[in-house]
Amino acid sequence: PLIFRSPGQIRPGLASEGMVEFVDVYPTLCELCELPVPSDLEGLSMMPLFSRPEREWKSAVFSQFLREGIWVAPDGIEYMGYAIRTDRYRYVEWHRWEGDGKMEAALSGVELYDHRSDPQENENLASRPESKEVVATLSERLAAGWIAALPPGITA
């Protein structure tokens, strides 16, 4: 959970199911403090959720992380993971990391977890035939990036 409290908050104590990310904290604090939000940020102020927590919000959130010797090839080589999290799934694509910002284009491995049936992410569903369509859809959404996941009427 992420908790915000601000002086003069119109509707304190409300909860929202809206998906937010750490990159959303800075623009939210800027807006709360009535400071200009830098135009080059990838985050989105959460202020609209403070007044209408039930409103439609981001359809997905994204993360990126570097790991050494992950399950796809525990060989001491580093891999970069790119993930998308929706209200139901977390999908990760792993690429071999060559350092200096270079990444091997070939996909080294994928992970897919269904948070409805497996909230602890114990079973990777990516290789199952019945997951093929979900994997393809989430891979496309991951490639489309964070702007494609913004709520209706909001532009970056």
Side-chain angles (χ1 to χ4, degrees):
L2 176 63
I3 299 171
F4 265 85
R5 182 168 190 261
S6 66
Q9 192 168 345
I10 297 169
R11 298 173 67 191
L14 296 178
S16 174
E17 295 294 320
M19 297 181 77
V20 297
E21 308 170 76
F22 281 125
V23 294
D24 298 330
V25 172
Y26 185 75
T28 303
L29 291 175
C30 286
E31 193 170 341
L32 280 169
C33 296
E34 299 179 358
L35 297 171
V37 178
S39 61
D40 59 344
L41 292 181
E42 290 188 3
L44 180 64
S45 172
M46 296 174 268
M47 290 293 288
L49 291 174
F50 294 179
S51 58
R52 281 191 42 223
E54 73 288 346
R55 74 165 286 159
E56 191 172 354
W57 201 242
K58 292 181 180 182
S59 61
V61 293
F62 299 82
S63 58
Q64 176 180 338
F65 38 95
L66 187 65
R67 293 268 167 84
E68 182 178 331
I70 61 167
W71 61 269
V72 281
D75 50 16
I77 296 172
E78 292 182 327
Y79 292 85
M80 186 66 75
Y82 297 89
I84 181 171
R85 173 72 163 89
T86 68
D87 62 340
R88 181 170 181 180
Y89 297 104
R90 186 170 74 93
Y91 171 74
V92 185
E93 292 185 351
W94 291 99
H95 297 269
R96 184 175 173 166
W97 184 254
E98 311 239 339
D100 295 330
K102 296 178 186 170
M103 179 176 55
E104 193 174 88
L107 198 57
S108 298
V110 296
E111 295 176 69
L112 174 66
Y113 301 100
D114 184 339
H115 280 232
R116 285 188 192 155
S117 61
D118 180 20
Q120 299 299 317
E121 298 187 354
N122 292 311
E123 191 172 357
N124 182 359
L125 306 173
S127 63
R128 292 187 175 183
E130 64 269 21
S131 298
K132 185 177 180 178
E133 190 174 315
V134 173
V135 167
T137 299
L138 291 173
S139 181
E140 288 174 15
R141 291 191 66 194
L142 180 61
W146 68 278
I147 292 175
L150 291 178
I154 303 289
T155 57

